[in-house]
Amino acid sequence: MSAQTEIDNNFSDPDYSTLMLATALFISERSLQRRFKAVFGYTFKEALISARLENAKTLLAKGEKVSDVSIACGFNEPSYFSKSFKARFGYTPTQYREMTEKEEV
């Protein structure tokens, strides 16, 4: 099982952590952190947030409510979700949902 597969399968769990991934991959947490950065060029947390935000885009494009998407993608705080989404994509989740709704018309 790969690290990315594990992240993709668990992104919705707000408590998912490096310890859980390390346990699933049968390595120490510290070793996971070092290897992750060396292999991928970014941290576990960055990969997890990226997976959550990419899945959020999919749900928002389907017309889901922002607060529901936030929870479904593992964010405990809708405000942190919105801030992270805007930092990553350059627009808020609501703006993205509105843009995709206009494209469907």
Side-chain angles (χ1 to χ4, degrees), residues 30-97:
R30 183 67 187 129
S31 179
L32 170 71
Q33 291 169 340
R34 279 194 308 268
R35 289 181 190 183
F36 209 96
K37 185 75 172 180
V39 171
F40 297 110
Y42 46 84
T43 66
F44 164 79
K45 185 174 181 177
E46 291 168 333
L48 181 60
I49 290 174
S50 179
R52 287 176 172 169
L53 292 174
E54 289 299 326
N55 282 286
K57 278 182 82 170
T58 302
L59 295 173
L60 289 167
K62 293 179 181 179
E64 299 285 330
K65 289 174 39 177
V66 173
S67 58
D68 292 343
V69 171
S70 170
I71 292 166
C73 291
F75 289 92
N76 287 327
E77 297 292 327
S79 61
Y80 178 65
F81 165 65
S82 293
K83 178 180 158 187
S84 298
F85 194 95
K86 185 169 184 172
R88 172 79 184 255
F89 301 115
Y91 34 78
T92 68
T94 302
Q95 290 169 329
Y96 179 74
R97 193 179 74 206

Side-chain angles (χ1 to χ4, degrees), residues 18-29 32:
T18 53
L19 178 59
M20 295 169 88
L21 178 58
T23 300
L25 297 175
F26 304 105
I27 61 175
S28 74
E29 190 173 4
L32 170 71

